[in-house]
Structures are given as C-alpha cells and as structure tokens.
Amino acid sequence: MKEKQQRYETLVHAFHGDIYRYAYWLTRDPTIAEDVVQETFLRAWRSLDALKDEKSAKSWLITIVRRENARRFERKQLDLVDIDDVSVSDDAFHAAPQDESDELRVLIARLPMDYREPLLLQLLFGYSGEEIAEQLSLNKNTVMTRLFRARNQLKDMLAQESSQQRGRQNG
Amino acid sequence: MDDLEFRRRVFANPNTTDKEVAVIAARNPDKAQLKNSLQQFDDDLMKALKVQVPDNLAHKLIWEQKSEELKRHKRRTPWYIGLAASIALTIGVTGTVVMHRANVNIGEEALAHMRYSETEQSHSAVAVNMDLINAKLAGFGGTLVSSIGNVRVANYCHLNTTQSLHLILDTDQGPMSVFIMPQKRDQNVPDAFADNQYHGESWALQKASIMVVGEKGADLAPLMQKVKRSITFSA
C-alpha cells in the first residue's frame, strides 16, 4: 500500500504539469482542464497496478487523459455539437493578445483537433511520428500529413492576422 | 525529393534528422533557411504551449486520491459506515472531513483508525515528547504526569464527530493506540470491542473517555495501567 502510494505520488510530481497542459489544449479551458486532470489521476490511481513498466507511464497517462476528455462529450451527447464548430468560450482566447505567445495561443486553439493533437504530442512530449501514430492509433503517413497541415495552417493564419493588422493600421 | 516533399517533411518535423532533407538543405540555402525558420517557429510554439500550471495542482491531485481512498475504504467495509475521517493526509495538506452521523459505535471507529495507524504519520515535524502530548491534551483539560511509553504519533482525529487525541505507541506487545475523547452525553463507548485484527477496552472518567486498542491477542492491561496512573484531568 505504501509502495503504491509512493508510485502514485512520483507519477503526479513527474507528469502533472505536462498532462495539465495537454488537457488544457484539448479542452481550451483552464477550469475544465483541471477537472479532466483530476479525473485522469484518480483513474490512474485506481488502475495503477495495471501499469507494469514506469517507462510507459507517460503514454499510459496520455491514453487516460484522452479518454477522460472524450467522456466529457459522452456526457454532453444531447447537445449534439462538435466542439470544433463552436467558438471557444474561454476569455483567454478572446482578450487582446499581449505578446507573440498570446497571439500564437489564439491560433493554436483555432486548429482543428485532428491537427492540434499530433502537434501537442510532438511538441509537449517530444514524440516521434511513430510514437504519435501508436498513441492515436493512426498510421504514420496520416500523422505526418496532419503535422504538416498543423504548421501550415498556423503559418497561414499568422500571415492573415498580420495582413489584417497592417490593413487596420493603414486604414 | 521535389520541393513539395521537402516542404512536407520539414513542416511535419522541423527538427527531422532525415538524411535526404539534410543533404538538400546543405546544398540549397533557401531550403536551409526555410528549415531554420520552422525551427524558430517551433520554439515560439513551445513557448505558447507551455501555459501556466495551476499552483498546488500536484498537492490537489494527491489530496483527491487520498479522499477517494478513504471513501473506497468505507464502501469496502460497510460495517464501518461511520468511519470518520481524520486519516493523516499528506504532510502539507491539512484538513479534516467531519462526518455527521450520530449513534455510531465509537469502538468500531477506533478500530477503523487502527487500520490506518501503521501508515499514519505525525502531522507535526516536531518529535513527539511529553510536552507535545501535554500541549495536545490541554485542549481536553488533561495532563500526563509521567511517560506512558514510546509515543510515535500524537494526532487529533475525529471519532464520529468527536475530536479525540490519538496516540500511537510502540510497545513490547506491538503497536498500540490510546484514544482520549471528551465525555459527551449521548456517546456510546463500549467497554470492550474487537474485530478480526484488533481489540480494545475503554473506561470513562468524569471528563473524558479513554480507549486502549492493540492487536488481537496483545495484553492491554500494562498500557491501561500506565495510562490510568499517568493521566490526570483538571477539575
């Protein structure tokens, strides 16, 4: 029991930050993200015995956090809306961007989930194409295409934003 | 590799170690420039992705798990329905869950606390000595005039809804606990109680009830004698 407790606490300390950020970018809402992370770690605790190798802890937790996020939509099924079709409600993404990071955050939040998620795995967790493919149950070519499109769309959006800004300044 | 394919590969992973990509970038400054600019873009993206993590999130996650564990324990052992919760939560996380259930057999609650006592840690970083115990006992109007043995932990806990002092001792009869709780009118403290692991006995004083609990088969009498000799309550 003590050993299990220690394993759990080590897991929390090692991964809570990255798992929170992952949940944040899945949900695009800090409060919902925190709820999802709490559910994720509770599930992890309940099935900790199933985690045989600490090396796979990261991908195990990612699998759980993705499932917890999906569960949110099962609960909300009656709404019958695709979150990607709905504008993001979080004020953080509406407030006037303070710096370049804020501006990028708004654009990342606008990326469709299919493109956003592989990018998160690559950048937040340093996953390779193969690892992302395995985590998301996709083939590697699909993953590479989505990563390409993610950056391509971000670059396009950035260019659009700056031309709009120029337009405003000139007008 | 044509232009489009080069673009696809560096956009998919600006830090790619793909040899073909490296060869082309080495030959063509424009392509090398594109690759560099995407690497720079990745640095910016990383900065943007690293949103601030809420303060104390790790502590919250550990707290949640401990509360869940307590709830689960109660479900698994329904005869401890009234198990009140003052299990020592992680150091740094303090708080007490107070259960509002009346008429629960306090002896059974004490037994439930025993199950945790092996893993229970002192809330305080200060070593347990007579001064510390007496400081905690003062709230009940009690004093220990002499040592009752090697007290490892002295924590307040709730038995039913009554705040009690839980002392955990190492004795030659194994780990034992002494619970001291103020006398209450409607309180049901049995003289003797047991489960398959522990047994306990209690006696009532004018101001307090005291329970001594030890492992099955352990002789409680020596510790009971010591406590009876040592403890006094102000009038």
Side-chain angles (χ1 to χ4, degrees), chain B:
Chain B
M1 190 191 301
D2 62 15
D3 276 4
L4 184 64
E5 183 56 27
F6 180 84
R7 239 182 111 75
R8 286 182 71 86
R9 291 201 199 172
V10 292
F11 265 77
N13 182 6
N15 295 304
T16 180
T17 50
D18 189 324
K19 275 192 192 130
E20 286 178 82
V21 169
V23 169
I24 292 170
R27 273 196 229 132
N28 187 330
D30 284 350
K31 294 216 160 77
Q33 166 63 30
L34 174 67
K35 190 167 180 270
N36 282 339
S37 77
L38 281 162
Q39 282 171 346
Q40 176 58 50
F41 186 49
D42 259 21
D43 290 344
D44 296 342
L45 285 176
M46 281 283 266
K47 234 193 282 170
L49 286 175
K50 295 217 161 168
V51 292
Q52 205 187 342
V53 177
D55 289 343
N56 288 327
L57 181 59
H59 280 137
K60 250 188 240 175
L61 295 171
I62 292 166
W63 159 273
E64 288 279 329
Q65 168 262 324
K66 295 220 172 183
S67 312
E68 145 112 0
E69 191 51 22
L70 179 68
K71 272 188 250 154
R72 200 178 61 87
H73 176 77
K74 272 163 55 192
R75 278 198 302 272
R76 203 178 45 196
T77 56
W79 56 90
Y80 294 132
I81 288 163
L83 167 65
S86 82
I87 309 313
L89 293 157
T90 24
I91 293 166
V93 180
T94 55
T96 313
V97 180
V98 181
M99 300 289 301
H100 294 283
R101 280 178 209 275
N103 298 323
V104 177
N105 182 325
I106 289 207
E108 291 192 351
E109 295 211 0
L111 292 173
H113 279 256
M114 284 302 290
R115 298 165 136 261
Y116 283 103
S117 64
E118 283 165 38
T119 53
E120 180 139 353
Q121 299 179 56
S122 179
H123 290 301
S124 156
V126 183
V128 180
N129 55 28
M130 288 283 284
D131 290 344
L132 181 78
I133 299 169
N134 276 329
K136 293 195 171 190
L137 257 180
F140 303 105
T143 317
L144 281 184
V145 292
S146 58
S147 167
I148 58 167
N150 178 20
V151 179
R152 190 160 51 81
V153 178
N155 283 341
Y156 287 121
C157 70
H158 282 87
L159 295 177
N160 195 2
T161 55
T162 308
Q163 192 183 43
S164 316
L165 182 62
H166 184 180
L167 306 177
I168 302 173
L169 294 89
D170 291 321
T171 74
D172 50 10
Q173 298 278 328
M176 285 198 190
S177 285
V178 177
F179 295 89
I180 297 142
M181 73 211 95
Q183 199 61 270
K184 264 192 182 176
R185 235 182 315 145
D186 53 351
Q187 200 160 262
N188 171 18
V189 185
D191 294 341
F193 45 91
D195 66 2
N196 50 17
Q197 219 181 333
Y198 301 105
H199 71 129
E201 288 182 39
S202 78
W203 68 97
L205 300 168
Q206 205 175 355
K207 288 215 155 179
S209 291
I210 299 175
M211 291 189 283
V212 172
V213 189
E215 283 172 349
K216 200 101 201 163
D219 183 8
L220 302 176
L223 182 57
M224 286 172 71
Q225 286 307 322
K226 267 192 205 165
V227 175
K228 282 178 182 170
R229 266 203 312 270
S230 307
I231 202 160
T232 61
F233 285 85
S234 57

Side-chain angles (χ1 to χ4, degrees), chain A residues 8-90:
Chain A
Y8 175 77
E9 289 181 17
T10 307
L11 216 60
V12 168
H13 287 299
F15 296 113
H16 77 280
D18 282 337
I19 291 293
Y20 170 79
R21 291 188 177 114
Y22 196 73
Y24 178 94
W25 287 111
L26 290 183
T27 62
R28 300 177 294 187
D29 181 303
T31 313
I32 300 174
E34 205 173 320
D35 287 347
V36 168
V37 171
Q38 290 196 357
E39 276 305 313
T40 298
F41 277 91
L42 276 183
R43 297 236 169 226
W45 162 256
R46 286 178 208 143
S47 51
L48 195 56
D49 295 333
L51 177 68
K52 298 293 177 217
D53 183 359
E54 305 299 322
K55 278 186 215 137
S56 50
K58 190 159 70 174
S59 72
W60 184 67
L61 285 170
I62 293 171
T63 303
I64 304 176
V65 77
R66 295 186 72 230
R67 210 183 296 145
E68 285 308 316
N69 184 47
R71 233 182 265 276
R72 238 162 30 92
F73 297 107
E74 283 165 27
R75 286 197 289 267
K76 279 205 244 165
Q77 216 167 25
L78 287 175
D79 297 351
L80 288 173
V81 287
D82 180 357
I83 191 71
D84 282 330
D85 296 337
V86 181
S87 59
V88 178
S89 60
D90 181 18

Side-chain angles (χ1 to χ4, degrees), chain A residues 150-166:
Chain A
R151 286 193 181 81
N152 211 21
Q153 281 200 7
L154 285 171
K155 283 272 185 196
D156 281 352
M157 288 192 280
L158 261 182
Q160 235 170 37
E161 291 274 310
S162 63
S163 78
Q164 271 170 12
Q165 242 165 31
R166 270 201 305 277

